[in-house]
Amino acid sequence: MVFFRSVRAGALAIVMCSVPAMAHAETLREALTSAYLNNPTILSSLLNVKATAENIALAKAAQRPSIGASASVTQSYVPGYAVPPPVGTVGASITQTIFDNFKSDADIEAARALTEASRYALQNAEQNVLLAVVQAYMGVIQNTQLVQLRQANVKFYQAQVDSANDRLKIGEGTKIDVSQAQARLAQGTASYQSAVSALQTSQATYERYVGHKPRNLTSSYSLGKLMPRSVDAAVKEAVAANPAILSAKAAIRAAQANSDSANAAFGPTLTAAGSLGATVFGGGATTPSVPTASVKFSLTVPIYGGGALGASIRKANINQVKSEVDALAARDQIKESVITAWSTLQNASAQITSANSAVSAGDLSLQGTIQERDVGQAMTLDVLNAQSELTSVKEGLIQANASKVIASFALVAATGHLTAADLGLNVEVKTGEDYIAKVEDVWAELRALD
């Protein structure tokens, strides 16, 4: 049949796209490495760490002097009088906050806590990307195997159609046998087309996360000591190391610092301002004037701010309580993720064991049914049903194998160890620590003027 030949050609094209040559094989470790280096989500989270870290420098600026210089030239003119020479002046000023009721200290602590939270958010994004790579990787493998299986299924049903037609011609079969075989062939073809579509989708997802098309993938990978020994140990490790929980704890510290800052705004602020200036030319003098200097101290105490001060304190206190509630929610969600991954892993292992036995039994049953049909002790429908059951069991085995691998990585991710560092990927780990160290140096801006 022309349609059947086109189906087989389509299957061959799809499979060859995903499995080109052994020389270009790509392991799961290589896929994870490529994703870590190229995926924009990780880069975006790293940039967010850097942007958040700048808040530290902004907060520290409140404790440092503000120094500036100025120069001006003034030309005055009065109608009816001679135009006087222009007047040139230069000056310098410095402003320093001496005491702000420790508000700036609280702001600095808040900025550092939020930066720490962003670092954990980067780690969480890293884990999510690497887990998505594992899911895409196994998705390609699973759907490739399903395409191959369903292609063989279509071929089997086509052979049954041909066999039923041959037996009908010699009077050993019926038109019902032919119709039943043709119906199963149509169903098998539709199922095959669905597998092809799923494979194309999984290949696109793989390319999105890894950065290139899949090349001869293999599911062999050992997580070694990263795998927890029990569900209780996994939950304990997750609570201690999962970046989502650690980020939530850092957010609590930031909220506490913001609350301290809001309360400190009610206190006094003492500032000092100094200036130095001189007229360098003009002003009726033949030589530059003697520099003049001034120093001013200012003490401000807020008394009433239209309700803004009270509102800021109440808002900060509410946000502090909210951060603690969010941390509890994050902890419960991570615990659920651990238990779900563990249960999925155990279930997949049991399904694999069961499916392996069922496949062996199904193969024997199919061969026996075909022999019975050939000697007239079984019908074509019996053969078709046996093939359908065997195909269903094989599909379940394929899906269980993929599910087991994904659940293993999901469990490691829930414990907080699905990172480039923990996996030992050959990459430079991105943490943003070097950038944070730079923004902590508040005098860098002044040295840049040297």
Side-chain angles (χ1 to χ4, degrees):
M1 297 176 66
V2 176
F3 175 72
F4 175 63
R5 287 196 296 270
S6 66
V7 165
R8 294 186 62 188
L12 182 61
I14 291 297
V15 173
M16 290 303 292
C17 284
S18 59
V19 189
M22 291 301 293
H24 298 90
E26 181 172 33
T27 65
L28 180 53
R29 175 180 291 275
E30 291 171 338
L32 292 170
T33 300
S34 179
Y36 186 84
L37 293 174
N38 301 315
N39 192 275
T41 300
I42 296 177
L43 177 58
S44 176
S45 296
L46 176 62
L47 293 174
N48 183 62
V49 172
K50 294 181 177 181
T52 306
E54 291 295 346
N55 291 327
I56 299 176
L58 293 174
K60 281 189 170 184
Q63 296 182 339
R64 300 298 184 268
S66 177
I67 304 173
S70 63
S72 65
V73 176
T74 304
Q75 176 67 68
S76 61
Y77 171 69
V78 179
Y81 292 89
V83 178
V87 178
T89 61
V90 295
S93 64
I94 180 172
T95 303
Q96 171 69 60
T97 299
I98 300 175
F99 179 74
D100 63 358
N101 200 31
F102 306 106
K103 183 180 186 302
S104 57
D105 290 328
D107 291 337
I108 293 172
E109 175 60 25
R112 285 173 173 163
L114 287 176
T115 301
E116 183 179 347
S118 70
R119 283 181 50 246
Y120 289 125
L122 167 61
Q123 185 179 340
N124 196 50
E126 175 186 340
Q127 288 205 139
N128 290 338
V129 168
L130 295 183
L131 181 57
V133 171
V134 174
Q135 292 169 334
Y137 193 99
M138 295 309 301
V140 172
I141 291 177
Q142 172 183 303
N143 290 318
T144 299
Q145 293 173 346
L146 287 176
V147 165
Q148 295 169 341
L149 176 63
R150 292 179 183 179
Q151 178 190 3
N153 198 40
V154 169
K155 183 178 180 180
F156 178 89
Y157 285 138
Q158 180 61 56
Q160 297 310 307
V161 171
D162 296 339
S163 177
N165 279 317
D166 291 341
R167 289 196 306 274
L168 178 62
K169 290 178 183 179
I170 62 176
E172 293 183 359
T174 66
K175 291 184 178 180
I176 294 178
D177 294 333
V178 175
S179 297
Q180 290 172 337
Q182 289 175 335
R184 290 299 175 89
L185 175 60
Q187 293 175 358
T189 301
S191 179
Y192 160 79
Q193 293 291 358
S194 175
V196 169
S197 177
L199 176 57
Q200 292 172 332
T201 299
S202 61
Q203 288 173 335
T205 302
Y206 182 94
E207 186 173 4
R208 169 193 170 192
Y209 284 104
V210 179
H212 57 258
K213 295 182 182 298
R215 300 188 295 263
N216 191 25
L217 310 185
T218 171
S219 60
S220 59
Y221 193 93
S222 175
L223 288 168
K225 295 181 179 180
L226 294 179
M227 283 293 293
R229 297 181 178 180
S230 66
V231 64
D232 291 335
V235 170
K236 182 178 179 180
E237 183 64 23
V239 172
N242 188 281
I245 294 179
L246 297 178
S247 179
K249 291 181 178 179
I252 292 176
R253 295 198 300 273
Q256 291 172 339
N258 284 330
S259 179
D260 293 339
S261 175
N263 283 280
F266 264 118
T269 301
L270 177 63
T271 60
S275 63
L276 178 67
T279 301
V280 294
F281 61 83
T286 57
T287 59
S289 65
V290 176
T292 60
S294 66
V295 178
K296 180 177 71 173
F297 292 91
S298 299
L299 177 66
T300 59
V301 179
I303 297 176
Y304 177 70
L309 293 175
S312 64
I313 291 177
R314 292 192 298 272
K315 180 179 178 181
N317 291 338
I318 292 173
N319 284 333
Q320 180 178 347
V321 175
K322 180 179 180 299
S323 68
E324 294 171 355
V325 173
D326 291 342
L328 293 175
R331 184 200 62 187
D332 292 342
Q333 183 179 2
I334 296 304
K335 284 185 176 180
E336 178 189 14
S337 299
V338 170
I339 296 173
T340 299
W342 182 271
S343 300
T344 303
L345 178 60
Q346 301 304 312
N347 182 52
S349 299
Q351 286 184 349
I352 291 172
T353 301
S354 175
N356 279 322
S357 298
V359 167
S360 298
D363 278 327
L364 292 175
S365 176
L366 176 61
Q367 297 305 319
T369 304
I370 292 175
Q371 292 175 2
E372 291 176 352
R373 189 272 316 274
D374 291 342
V375 297
Q377 295 181 353
M379 302 175 60
T380 297
L381 181 60
D382 297 324
V383 175
L384 297 175
N385 287 339
Q387 171 66 14
S388 177
E389 292 175 3
L390 178 58
T391 300
S392 178
V393 171
K394 287 182 177 180
E395 289 186 0
L397 178 59
I398 291 172
Q399 293 165 354
N401 280 322
S403 178
K404 181 179 180 180
V405 175
I406 294 173
S408 298
F409 279 87
L411 181 60
V412 172
T415 61
H417 295 299
L418 190 63
T419 65
D422 289 318
L423 294 174
L425 302 184
N426 186 24
V427 297
E428 181 181 354
V429 179
K430 305 169 184 176
T431 63
E433 289 287 354
D434 54 342
Y435 193 88
I436 295 173
K438 290 180 180 179
V439 299
E440 286 278 7
D441 183 4
V442 295
W443 299 107
E445 183 178 339
L446 187 59
R447 289 198 301 271
L449 300 177
D450 294 344

